[in-house]
Amino acid sequence: MTEVVDRASSSREAAATAAAPVVDVTALGELLLGKWAHIRRTARDLAGRPEVHKIEGLTHSEHRKRVFGQLKYLVENNAVHRAFPASLGGSDDHGGNIAGFEELVTADPSLQIKAGVQWGLFGSAVMHLGTEEHQDRWLPGIMNLEIPGCFAMTETGHGSDVASIATTASYDEATQEFVINTPFRAAWKDYIGNAAVDGLAAVVFAQLVTRNVNHGVHAFYVQLRDPDTKEFMPGIGGEDDGLKGGLNGIDNGRLHFSDVRVPRTHLLNRYGNVSPEGEYTSPIASPGRRFFTMLGTLVQGRVSLDGAAVAASKVALTTAIRYATERRQFNAASPADEEVLLDYQRHQRRLFTRLATTFATSFAHEQLLEKFDDVFSGRHDTDADRQDLETLAAALKPMSTWHALDTLQECREACGGAGFLSENRFASLRADLDVYATFEGDNTVLLQLVAKRLLADYAKEFRNVDFGVLARFVVAQATDVAFHRTGLRQVAQFVADTGSVQKAALALRDEEGQRTLLTDRVQSMVAEIGSALKGANKLPQHQAAALFNQHQDELIDAAQAHAELLQWEAFTEALGKVTDPGTRQVLTWLRDLFGLSLIEKHLSWYLMNGRLSMQRGRTVGAYINRLLLKIRPHALDLVDSFGYGPEHLRAAIAFGAEKERQDEARSYFQAQRASGKAPSDEKTLLASKGKKYSPSSFRPK
Amino acid sequence: MTEVVDRASSSREAAATAAAPVVDVTALGELLLGKWAHIRRTARDLAGRPEVHKIEGLTHSEHRKRVFGQLKYLVENNAVHRAFPASLGGSDDHGGNIAGFEELVTADPSLQIKAGVQWGLFGSAVMHLGTEEHQDRWLPGIMNLEIPGCFAMTETGHGSDVASIATTASYDEATQEFVINTPFRAAWKDYIGNAAVDGLAAVVFAQLVTRNVNHGVHAFYVQLRDPDTKEFMPGIGGEDDGLKGGLNGIDNGRLHFSDVRVPRTHLLNRYGNVSPEGEYTSPIASPGRRFFTMLGTLVQGRVSLDGAAVAASKVALTTAIRYATERRQFNAASPADEEVLLDYQRHQRRLFTRLATTFATSFAHEQLLEKFDDVFSGRHDTDADRQDLETLAAALKPMSTWHALDTLQECREACGGAGFLSENRFASLRADLDVYATFEGDNTVLLQLVAKRLLADYAKEFRNVDFGVLARFVVAQATDVAFHRTGLRQVAQFVADTGSVQKAALALRDEEGQRTLLTDRVQSMVAEIGSALKGANKLPQHQAAALFNQHQDELIDAAQAHAELLQWEAFTEALGKVTDPGTRQVLTWLRDLFGLSLIEKHLSWYLMNGRLSMQRGRTVGAYINRLLLKIRPHALDLVDSFGYGPEHLRAAIAFGAEKERQDEARSYFQAQRASGKAPSDEKTLLASKGKKYSPSSFRPK
């Protein structure tokens, strides 16, 4: 029964015993903070201040006002300018900007997202799509919040399918103006942050038409409201999207345009221009590639949602694991000390598997952020780099956002009724993060983008796939972009040697064994689908579409398998940087737990495809259970390494209140027993006196 | 490509083609309404009225006031008295009462649960635990809401572990009073509905102590507040639990008692009495059995949550499936009509598997409700009946409440940004139903109760299991209850003949094949655990506990497998009642989808244990995909059979708004094309003119 020894309720206690590994919390914390540690620290300091904290129970109009005020607070505290040009008071630091931005989620996700709308989308569009003239003219006001603005891309009729938006901007040579129209209800801009109340201006995406040719989606700077009266400008109208499932500190709304005229120079014309005479010119000849370039800025939203989801998962697990190390199901009247919740196998399963995944998402996010910074800083900014970045973000953002929702829910349930109280924040964070799964790219659509890339890497045939099932968004983004890189993981190569896989399976707990199994699965799935779809591009379009549709589920599964492999590799790579032996040992257990959980999740695949034998398959669960026991003594250290303080957790149950109550109860019963006045128990009397003691039979009238 | 034919976008269209089965929506609707159809209809009529609808965005105090007002509305409309004695104006109809009560969830879950607190818990405790005198004295005021009251059982320190509550009621012979105390903070009553504001009285559960013997948990009627001033009575205090993740129309709170004296006659003494002189008497000699009997009334909460979860799942799927038959990802500018969302394989997977499970939970709930009515009506009310009812409720409530949360979330995501708007209700319903997973018996704890029963049926040895891991709550309820029934499904028998299983596997799509696979899994899992735990009761307690803990995860999995089998059997039994061939065909596909989805979910088990071959395993997914295509034309009919009207759905996207917008967009583009004024597309020009047409290269300054 060695497990009993492992189940010490305090990490420090257990660590004190001989030969047990000890986690270096500080060093691990530093590793998790990553390349932009200093900016994360500054941002966490800011996010810890009461001024920016969410107040639960405000009406949505109160909440909106509060968040707008908090945006000003961010400006005053120099928290939002990092990505902007140094010439305008920024610091041209794209990675650092996102790192700091992500940390705001612990204060209030509404604040994070509204800041994202203002500076990450609206400001960013002016910066990336506009010329220097545009930047000089509008960025100062955007940066200091004199011009709250919108990123008006999505329409009621088109979410993910940006290429098909129906808003038009038609050039009128006579007046040298663009005339903007939303010709029918489905073309209204919808779900637009800042649109319902605060937005004075917007970057409006519309089909640019000049000389009766549609040159595709371009961005226009449009004044929405009169800065004094806050009334809509002529021709512009809108609606409030009203209450939402969360993020109610943001005033999402709809916008419609009827013959709204803006000067020719309001076209953000870095990638496409119209001369006064109406001639269209562009530095990018291919319309598809031009579109892809203009939408490139969107990736930063996905990168930051990925990071914010990781942060929220960490906060939730810290609270839930702390509570689980205190809460007992025991009878306080009993003298024996009994298990805390975290000693139960199921509770460990519920929380530690998610803890392991959270480490994986955290390390994977750091890689994504570095890739993002490489591209946006211009250090490595080829088409291939951009494409890799897009694919990586499209793979990781769905995994981390779904993981955050799952983790917040599991933590909430693991804390029972207390988990449901707003004071412990799980439900509130979950409600706010819900939409992370579908905005800035619907998770299911993004995974199809990843699948498309995997297929393209697998076979040339799929490079220019252009039929319905792989959502048009994917296709539109990818058309004309050459895939001259081999992919984030080389999937075109084959582990044809099933012998080597069988051998690897003998070492499930081995790094190379896990890698082989996970990699093999991605490669085989892609190859299988690729083979099933072979020749699809030669079929009539509707037949090709039907064929693709028959494999859509597998395509998405393959993309997920790929994303999981990326997470596993990121975890393993981070492990390589750990020098302290104790930390390395514990983190290896955690990485193994992550790897084995993935293998368990997809065990039927491994069995059906002969990668694991029946006997080997049966050891996976048992091995996971042993890992849970090994990790148990280090659970508190592991969540401590996340580095979130009381000012970030802000959960009533995260700071010893439960233990205090139990100590009080225990003292009470001890004192009662010591006094000799404790009542006897009827059950005990029955047991000792047998049938002699029994309450008289009694039948109430 | 026969699938293309199957993918007609309208059920009626497809049904019109020769030989295609047609669902008799009315007859299927009647089957789903079940035994208490007339009461469900009356309740749905009531739940459809604006007076009882949730208004989103109210502050929690406004919401509380509104819901309290709605409770009065229920009284005025004779909607709450069905379970109470005919002598007091009720109708002694227990099953009908729950059926009607469940339907309130579509109006506002807060209303449902607050009504449940008042009449299902507080009133029910007075009725079931009190004598006729108590009933006559208090029930009229409870029924007409003159006495809003609490069911004060749960304490901060004890959720599921009711036997260990620390509140005491000590009999004082001198004054013939009970003195009620919550001796420390952990003993405060917590999460108590009606406690923060409205409750004038409470049934307080406390350890009854007389002559210095503790006779265990009993219920006491206690006046909490002065009816005029609404101030707490002397010795009583409390706190507001404040905001919650949902159900904010209910004023949950904490209560504490310091030497609060209540007359001896306030003991609800049906199952235990104290004479004026302090002598304790009871018609039930065994304290464990007495406890179980007194807690028996709690089962009705679980039954009704099960039913409410089913109703919420139906509402969500109706809206999501209707929207998915209208929403297109297509380019409105393109002349070709393209797929609606529901034609995509992944979308079908997401929604139809949950639709199938919803039918299963619905039919299983009907069986549970009939069992409940049998017991509570007294028609079949043996100990064994009660025990079966407890186990059935403990198995089904976790499955249906988790299923509802999963379904609401999937539907919300399947509707994208529109799904997140409160006007479409997914997020709001999900927030309100969140706590259904942990209150009235934590789902994980309930499944352990089921596991205990399965083990007990398997081997006598486990009948009196009494160590920590099977939560004390389970043990406390089960002690002293003889298991003279063989269980809801006979699990002690073995399919030792693996040959028969192999044969059954050849017919996955066959009813008997599915049954054999599902049944075999439950039996084998239970036998395996039972064998692993053999002799545990002879080990020292801490070793036995550790041994049990090593199998906790499997125990819970086995309980879930059992619950899934019950659902499948209920679906199959309901199928047997369908006479219309078309309906029967479609419902058979849906039942097969449910069965095959279960087998796919647990496929690794079937493979590892030699129940399915690798080759057979690989056919499961493909067969599911074929079922999705077969079900597709009937999706609208199937959700229509749920019978919820606009007054229950109340979702903006459920009533054709999307189709209307698309029709408008299509007309616009058609008119534009017809006029010959539609702009050409740069891409098209490029394609036709080759390199000749190209925008000039242009580099903005």
Side-chain angles (χ1 to χ4, degrees):
Chain A
M1 306 294 293
T2 52
E3 289 82 358
V4 176
V5 176
D6 276 342
R7 284 161 61 224
S9 63
S10 146
S11 167
R12 284 80 178 177
E13 245 173 64
T17 65
V22 180
V23 172
D24 182 340
V25 174
T26 310
L28 180 54
E30 206 60 35
L31 180 66
L32 287 162
L33 281 171
K35 181 172 173 181
W36 290 274
H38 59 295
I39 291 178
R40 288 197 189 275
R41 282 206 184 83
T42 307
R44 286 187 188 187
D45 172 67
L46 185 75
R49 298 185 205 164
E51 291 90 335
V52 291
H53 290 168
K54 181 175 182 181
I55 295 175
E56 301 293 340
L58 297 181
T59 63
H60 77 300
S61 52
E62 290 164 348
H63 192 187
R64 288 172 172 187
K65 276 189 199 120
R66 179 171 169 83
V67 171
F68 187 70
Q70 290 170 336
L71 253 57
K72 289 185 189 154
Y73 185 85
L74 294 185
V75 172
E76 288 156 15
N77 285 274
N78 292 312
V80 297
H81 299 162
R82 292 186 189 98
F84 291 106
S87 61
L88 297 171
S91 46
D92 290 308
D93 181 358
H94 298 275
N97 176 60
I98 298 294
F101 172 67
E102 289 162 5
E103 297 290 342
L104 294 179
V105 76
T106 68
D108 182 346
S110 285
L111 169 59
Q112 193 218 358
I113 299 301
K114 182 142 172 148
V117 168
Q118 175 66 17
W119 296 294
L121 291 171
F122 174 54
S124 204
V126 171
M127 180 167 72
H128 290 292
L129 304 180
T131 55
E132 216 167 289
E133 192 182 311
H134 293 133
Q135 294 176 0
D136 291 346
R137 182 167 173 194
W138 291 310
L139 281 188
I142 293 172
M143 289 164 71
N144 70 17
L145 206 61
E146 268 171 31
I147 315 174
C150 307
F151 185 80
M153 176 181 273
T154 301
E155 298 176 355
T156 305
H158 293 96
S160 297
D161 181 12
V162 178
S164 298
I165 57 170
T167 301
T168 52
S170 307
Y171 185 64
D172 179 355
E173 292 168 40
T175 61
Q176 300 193 7
E177 290 170 320
F178 285 101
V179 187
I180 299 180
N181 271 297
T182 44
F184 40 78
R185 175 63 188 78
W188 287 20
K189 299 297 177 182
D190 207 345
Y191 316 113
I192 309 297
N194 276 342
V197 179
D198 296 324
L200 294 181
V203 169
V204 175
F205 288 81
Q207 307 283 351
L208 187 160
V209 177
T210 181
R211 297 182 178 175
N212 212 35
V213 175
N214 182 345
H215 292 278
V217 176
H218 286 67
F220 301 82
Y221 186 93
V222 180
Q223 194 185 330
L224 291 181
R225 288 182 170 91
D226 181 300
D228 300 319
T229 66
K230 314 287 181 194
E231 295 295 317
F232 275 124
M233 303 299 286
I236 303 179
E239 283 179 0
D240 194 323
D241 274 325
L243 279 167
K244 305 181 296 287
L247 294 186
N248 280 307
I250 306 170
D251 54 318
N252 294 82
R254 303 179 184 111
L255 295 170
H256 54 83
F257 302 88
S258 306
D259 290 329
V260 174
R261 290 179 167 265
V262 299
R264 184 184 63 91
T265 53
H266 280 212
L267 166 64
L268 298 176
N269 61 345
R270 182 184 292 262
Y271 300 111
N273 191 40
V274 171
S275 73
E277 298 73 29
E279 191 200 1
Y280 181 82
T281 51
S282 168
I284 306 175
S286 151
R289 189 161 167 173
R290 195 187 309 140
F291 176 74
F292 173 72
T293 306
M294 285 199 270
L295 258 61
T297 181
L298 282 179
V299 78
Q300 98 180 309
R302 290 174 198 152
V303 174
S304 61
L305 294 187
D306 183 58
V310 171
S313 304
K314 288 176 178 173
V315 164
L317 281 165
T318 304
T319 297
I321 285 180
R322 287 192 181 184
Y323 182 69
T325 60
E326 296 180 0
R327 178 79 175 178
R328 291 169 202 279
Q329 293 276 19
F330 80 128
N331 180 342
S334 139
D337 244 18
E338 292 185 30
E339 288 90 355
V340 294
L341 286 185
L342 201 57
D343 291 321
Y344 290 109
Q345 186 184 57
R346 186 70 162 202
H347 219 79
Q348 294 172 356
R349 272 249 180 193
R350 294 165 75 178
L351 299 182
F352 293 169
T353 51
R354 288 169 178 88
L355 182 65
T357 306
T358 300
F359 273 86
T361 56
S362 185
F363 292 129
H365 173 67
E366 181 68 15
Q367 293 192 346
L368 173 60
L369 193 53
E370 292 188 17
K371 180 84 187 163
F372 167 78
D373 192 58
D374 279 352
V375 169
F376 274 63
S377 69
R379 277 194 305 278
H380 300 283
D381 187 15
T382 63
D383 277 354
D385 289 321
R386 292 233 164 214
Q387 184 65 23
D388 284 354
L389 171 62
E390 291 280 350
T391 309
L392 192 56
L396 296 182
K397 179 263 185 182
M399 304 307 284
S400 59
T401 52
W402 275 330
H403 170 66
L405 295 182
D406 170 62
T407 299
L408 284 160
Q409 182 64 21
E410 199 67 40
C411 289
R412 135 50 210 136
E413 291 184 27
C415 296
F420 192 56
L421 300 185
S422 297
E423 64 178 32
N424 291 316
R425 294 189 64 218
F426 302 115
S428 167
L429 274 171
R430 201 201 166 286
D432 286 332
L433 263 72
D434 183 353
V435 78
Y436 286 36
T438 54
F439 73 177
E440 302 286 323
D442 178 279
N443 282 359
T444 302
V445 173
L446 290 179
L447 288 172
Q448 291 182 69
L449 190 151
V450 175
K452 157 119 180 65
R453 169 68 183 273
L454 293 172
L455 279 179
D457 284 354
Y458 170 72
K460 277 193 187 169
E461 175 182 2
F462 299 108
R463 286 193 189 160
N464 295 300
V465 163
D466 191 17
F467 21 78
V469 175
L470 287 187
R472 276 177 185 272
F473 172 66
V474 177
V475 175
Q477 283 208 351
T479 306
D480 298 315
V481 178
F483 294 100
H484 41 72
R485 283 276 295 255
T486 51
L488 301 157
R489 295 284 311 160
Q490 176 56 276
V491 295
Q493 286 174 356
F494 254 73
V495 182
D497 174 16
T498 52
S500 79
V501 174
Q502 292 293 1
K503 196 178 144 211
L506 294 173
L508 276 176
R509 55 188 92 181
D510 189 85
E511 187 169 301
E512 216 34 60
Q514 291 169 34
R515 173 178 288 121
T516 306
L517 285 169
L518 295 172
T519 309
D520 176 38
R521 180 158 176 265
V522 181
Q523 291 172 338
S524 306
M525 288 173 91
V526 172
E528 191 170 337
I529 301 164
S531 152
L533 295 179
K534 211 160 169 55
N537 57 351
K538 286 172 199 111
L539 295 173
Q541 181 168 329
H542 74 280
Q543 282 185 26
L547 183 60
F548 252 76
N549 197 28
Q550 282 171 31
H551 296 276
Q552 189 190 24
D553 202 55
E554 295 160 47
L555 275 164
I556 294 169
D557 284 350
Q560 271 184 306
H562 176 67
E564 288 165 350
L565 173 61
L566 294 175
Q567 293 177 323
W568 184 91
E569 289 285 10
F571 200 152
T572 302
E573 198 173 312
L575 201 48
K577 294 180 193 154
V578 177
T579 49
D580 173 65
T583 309
R584 196 184 174 100
Q585 176 61 76
V586 175
L587 218 54
T588 302
W589 288 331
L590 207 62
R591 195 278 321 270
D592 288 350
L593 177 60
F594 178 64
L596 273 287
S597 296
L598 291 177
I599 290 164
E600 187 183 51
K601 183 174 151 197
H602 306 300
L603 194 51
S604 63
W605 188 91
Y606 290 106
L607 294 160
M608 280 190 300
N609 291 280
R611 275 19 176 228
L612 287 177
S613 66
M614 284 161 62
Q615 288 71 18
R616 184 62 49 187
R618 287 177 71 94
T619 67
V620 176
Y623 186 47
I624 286 175
N625 290 339
R626 286 200 297 279
L627 284 171
L628 298 176
L629 289 173
K630 286 181 181 168
I631 291 164
R632 168 68 185 90
H634 309 283
L636 282 178
D637 283 345
L638 288 168
V639 295
D640 281 356
S641 75
F642 293 152
Y644 289 106
E647 71 277 22
H648 306 114
L649 301 179
R650 305 197 302 283
I653 55 171
F655 310 107
E658 179 64 22
K659 185 171 183 307
E660 202 175 293
R661 285 193 292 265
Q662 288 179 6
D663 290 347
E664 184 197 0
R666 197 177 296 107
S667 305
Y668 172 85
F669 286 117
Q670 278 167 354
Q672 199 186 43
R673 278 191 299 271
S675 75
K677 287 178 192 159
S680 330
D681 194 71
E682 185 191 327
K683 271 193 201 175
T684 319
L685 291 173
L686 271 176
S688 60
K689 302 191 186 175
K691 288 289 167 202
K692 285 193 186 158
Y693 181 90
S694 172
S696 321
S697 186
F698 155 87
R699 172 66 52 190
K701 54 176 171 176
Chain B
M1 305 298 296
T2 52
E3 288 83 357
V4 176
V5 176
D6 275 344
R7 286 159 63 221
S9 63
S10 146
S11 168
R12 285 80 179 177
E13 244 173 64
T17 65
V22 179
V23 173
D24 182 339
V25 174
T26 310
L28 180 55
E30 207 60 36
L31 180 67
L32 286 162
L33 282 171
K35 182 171 173 181
W36 290 273
H38 59 295
I39 291 179
R40 288 196 189 274
R41 282 209 184 80
T42 308
R44 287 187 187 187
D45 172 66
L46 184 74
R49 298 184 204 163
E51 290 91 335
V52 291
H53 291 169
K54 181 175 182 183
I55 296 176
E56 301 293 340
L58 295 182
T59 64
H60 77 299
S61 53
E62 290 165 348
H63 192 188
R64 286 171 173 188
K65 276 191 199 119
R66 178 170 170 85
V67 171
F68 187 71
Q70 290 170 335
L71 254 58
K72 289 186 189 154
Y73 186 84
L74 295 185
V75 171
E76 289 157 14
N77 285 275
N78 293 310
V80 297
H81 297 162
R82 294 185 187 99
F84 291 105
S87 60
L88 296 171
S91 46
D92 290 308
D93 180 358
H94 298 275
N97 176 58
I98 298 293
F101 172 68
E102 289 162 2
E103 297 290 343
L104 294 179
V105 76
T106 68
D108 183 347
S110 285
L111 169 60
Q112 193 218 358
I113 299 301
K114 184 144 173 147
V117 168
Q118 175 68 15
W119 296 294
L121 290 171
F122 173 56
S124 203
V126 170
M127 179 166 74
H128 290 292
L129 303 180
T131 55
E132 216 168 290
E133 194 183 310
H134 292 134
Q135 293 175 1
D136 292 346
R137 183 167 172 196
W138 291 310
L139 281 188
I142 292 172
M143 289 164 72
N144 69 18
L145 205 60
E146 268 170 30
I147 316 175
C150 307
F151 185 79
M153 175 181 273
T154 300
E155 298 178 355
T156 305
H158 292 95
S160 297
D161 181 12
V162 178
S164 297
I165 58 170
T167 302
T168 52
S170 307
Y171 186 63
D172 178 356
E173 293 169 41
T175 61
Q176 301 194 8
E177 290 169 320
F178 285 101
V179 187
I180 298 180
N181 272 297
T182 44
F184 41 77
R185 174 63 187 78
W188 288 18
K189 299 298 180 184
D190 207 346
Y191 316 111
I192 308 298
N194 276 342
V197 179
D198 297 324
L200 294 181
V203 169
V204 176
F205 288 81
Q207 306 284 350
L208 187 160
V209 178
T210 181
R211 297 180 178 175
N212 213 35
V213 173
N214 182 346
H215 292 277
V217 176
H218 286 68
F220 300 83
Y221 186 93
V222 181
Q223 194 185 331
L224 291 181
R225 288 182 170 90
D226 182 299
D228 299 320
T229 67
K230 314 287 181 192
E231 296 293 317
F232 276 125
M233 303 300 287
I236 302 179
E239 283 178 0
D240 195 322
D241 273 326
L243 279 168
K244 305 182 296 290
L247 293 185
N248 279 307
I250 306 168
D251 55 318
N252 292 83
R254 306 180 180 111
L255 295 169
H256 54 83
F257 302 88
S258 306
D259 290 331
V260 174
R261 291 178 165 266
V262 300
R264 184 184 64 92
T265 53
H266 280 210
L267 167 65
L268 299 176
N269 61 346
R270 182 184 293 260
Y271 300 111
N273 192 38
V274 171
S275 74
E277 298 74 30
E279 190 197 3
Y280 181 82
T281 50
S282 169
I284 307 176
S286 151
R289 189 163 166 169
R290 194 188 309 139
F291 176 75
F292 173 73
T293 307
M294 284 200 272
L295 259 59
T297 179
L298 281 179
V299 78
Q300 94 181 310
R302 289 172 201 155
V303 174
S304 62
L305 295 188
D306 184 57
V310 172
S313 304
K314 288 175 178 172
V315 164
L317 280 165
T318 304
T319 297
I321 285 179
R322 285 191 182 185
Y323 182 68
T325 58
E326 295 181 0
R327 177 79 175 177
R328 292 170 202 275
Q329 294 276 18
F330 79 127
N331 181 341
S334 137
D337 243 17
E338 292 185 30
E339 289 88 357
V340 294
L341 285 185
L342 201 57
D343 291 321
Y344 290 110
Q345 186 186 56
R346 185 70 162 202
H347 218 79
Q348 293 172 357
R349 270 250 179 192
R350 295 165 77 179
L351 299 182
F352 293 169
T353 52
R354 289 169 176 88
L355 181 66
T357 306
T358 300
F359 272 87
T361 57
S362 184
F363 292 129
H365 173 68
E366 181 69 13
Q367 291 193 346
L368 173 60
L369 193 54
E370 290 187 17
K371 180 84 188 164
F372 167 80
D373 191 60
D374 278 353
V375 170
F376 274 62
S377 69
R379 276 193 306 278
H380 301 283
D381 187 15
T382 64
D383 277 354
D385 289 322
R386 292 232 166 215
Q387 184 64 24
D388 285 353
L389 172 62
E390 291 280 349
T391 308
L392 192 55
L396 297 182
K397 179 260 187 186
M399 304 309 282
S400 59
T401 53
W402 275 330
H403 170 66
L405 295 182
D406 170 61
T407 298
L408 285 160
Q409 182 66 22
E410 199 66 40
C411 289
R412 135 50 208 134
E413 292 184 26
C415 297
F420 192 56
L421 300 185
S422 298
E423 65 178 31
N424 291 315
R425 293 187 67 217
F426 301 116
S428 167
L429 274 170
R430 200 202 166 284
D432 286 331
L433 263 72
D434 183 354
V435 77
Y436 286 36
T438 55
F439 74 177
E440 300 287 323
D442 177 279
N443 282 359
T444 303
V445 173
L446 291 178
L447 288 172
Q448 290 181 70
L449 190 151
V450 175
K452 159 116 181 66
R453 169 69 183 273
L454 293 172
L455 278 178
D457 284 355
Y458 170 73
K460 277 191 187 171
E461 171 182 3
F462 299 107
R463 285 192 189 162
N464 296 301
V465 165
D466 193 14
F467 21 79
V469 176
L470 286 186
R472 277 176 184 273
F473 171 68
V474 177
V475 174
Q477 283 210 349
T479 307
D480 299 317
V481 178
F483 294 102
H484 41 72
R485 283 276 295 256
T486 50
L488 301 156
R489 296 284 311 162
Q490 177 56 272
V491 294
Q493 288 174 355
F494 258 72
V495 181
D497 175 13
T498 51
S500 79
V501 172
Q502 291 296 1
K503 195 177 145 210
L506 293 173
L508 276 175
R509 56 189 92 181
D510 189 84
E511 185 168 301
E512 215 35 62
Q514 291 168 34
R515 174 178 288 120
T516 307
L517 284 169
L518 295 172
T519 309
D520 176 37
R521 180 159 176 263
V522 181
Q523 292 172 338
S524 304
M525 288 173 91
V526 172
E528 191 171 338
I529 301 165
S531 154
L533 296 179
K534 211 160 170 58
N537 57 351
K538 286 171 198 114
L539 294 173
Q541 183 168 327
H542 72 281
Q543 282 183 26
L547 184 60
F548 252 77
N549 198 29
Q550 283 170 31
H551 297 275
Q552 190 191 23
D553 201 57
E554 295 160 47
L555 277 163
I556 294 169
D557 285 350
Q560 272 184 305
H562 177 67
E564 288 165 351
L565 173 61
L566 294 175
Q567 292 177 323
W568 185 91
E569 289 285 10
F571 200 152
T572 303
E573 199 173 313
L575 201 48
K577 294 179 194 156
V578 177
T579 49
D580 173 65
T583 309
R584 195 183 176 101
Q585 176 60 77
V586 175
L587 217 55
T588 302
W589 289 331
L590 206 61
R591 193 278 321 272
D592 288 350
L593 177 60
F594 178 64
L596 273 288
S597 297
L598 292 176
I599 290 164
E600 186 183 52
K601 182 174 153 196
H602 306 299
L603 193 51
S604 64
W605 188 92
Y606 290 106
L607 293 162
M608 281 190 301
N609 292 279
R611 277 13 179 230
L612 287 178
S613 67
M614 284 161 61
Q615 287 71 18
R616 184 61 49 188
R618 288 177 69 93
T619 67
V620 176
Y623 186 47
I624 285 175
N625 289 338
R626 285 199 296 279
L627 284 171
L628 298 176
L629 289 174
K630 286 180 179 167
I631 291 164
R632 169 67 185 91
H634 309 282
L636 282 178
D637 283 346
L638 289 167
V639 296
D640 281 355
S641 75
F642 293 152
Y644 289 106
E647 70 279 22
H648 305 115
L649 302 179
R650 305 196 303 282
I653 54 172
F655 310 107
E658 179 64 22
K659 186 171 183 307
E660 201 175 296
R661 283 193 294 264
Q662 288 179 6
D663 290 346
E664 184 199 0
R666 196 175 297 109
S667 305
Y668 171 86
F669 286 117
Q670 278 166 352
Q672 200 186 41
R673 278 190 299 272
S675 74
K677 286 179 195 159
S680 329
D681 194 67
E682 185 191 327
K683 272 191 200 176
T684 317
L685 290 175
L686 270 175
S688 60
K689 303 191 184 173
K691 287 290 167 199
K692 285 192 189 158
Y693 182 87
S694 172
S696 319
S697 183
F698 155 84
R699 172 64 56 187
K701 53 176 174 176

